[in-house]
Amino acid sequence: MGMVSVDVSDFSVDQIQPGMWAEVYGRHQPLESLAGAAGVAPNTLLLGTASLATRHYSGVTLNAQERL
C-alpha cells in the first residue's frame, strides 16, 4: 500500500480543515511541474501511482484489490 504525506504548514488554520482534498497533480498542478520539482520524468510518477488509483467504470467503483 502506498502512502502520501502533504505538508500544509504554510497555510493558516482557517485555510485548511480535516477532510479537504489535496491535488497532487491535475488541473491546477501539472504533472510536469511536480516531476521537475522531484527531479524525475513525468512517466515515473504516473507508473508509481496509477496502480493505486481508484477507477470508476460506468457508475461502478473498483479499487486496486477488487481488480486482482
Side-chain angles (χ1 to χ4, degrees):
M1 173 181 260
M3 186 180 297
V4 174
S5 176
V6 179
D7 179 5
V8 297
S9 60
D10 285 342
F11 292 93
S12 66
V13 176
D14 61 331
Q15 291 178 300
I16 300 294
Q17 298 175 9
M20 292 180 79
W21 286 83
E23 182 178 275
V24 177
Y25 58 85
R27 182 183 326 167
H28 305 287
Q29 173 66 37
L31 178 64
E32 293 78 10
S33 297
L34 180 63
V40 298
N43 66 322
T44 303
L45 295 176
L46 288 176
L47 291 172
T49 59
S51 64
L52 303 173
T54 299
R55 293 174 174 83
H56 300 272
Y57 298 99
S58 302
V60 176
T61 302
L62 301 175
N63 63 34
Q65 289 77 28
E66 292 172 326
R67 290 194 315 267
L68 297 176

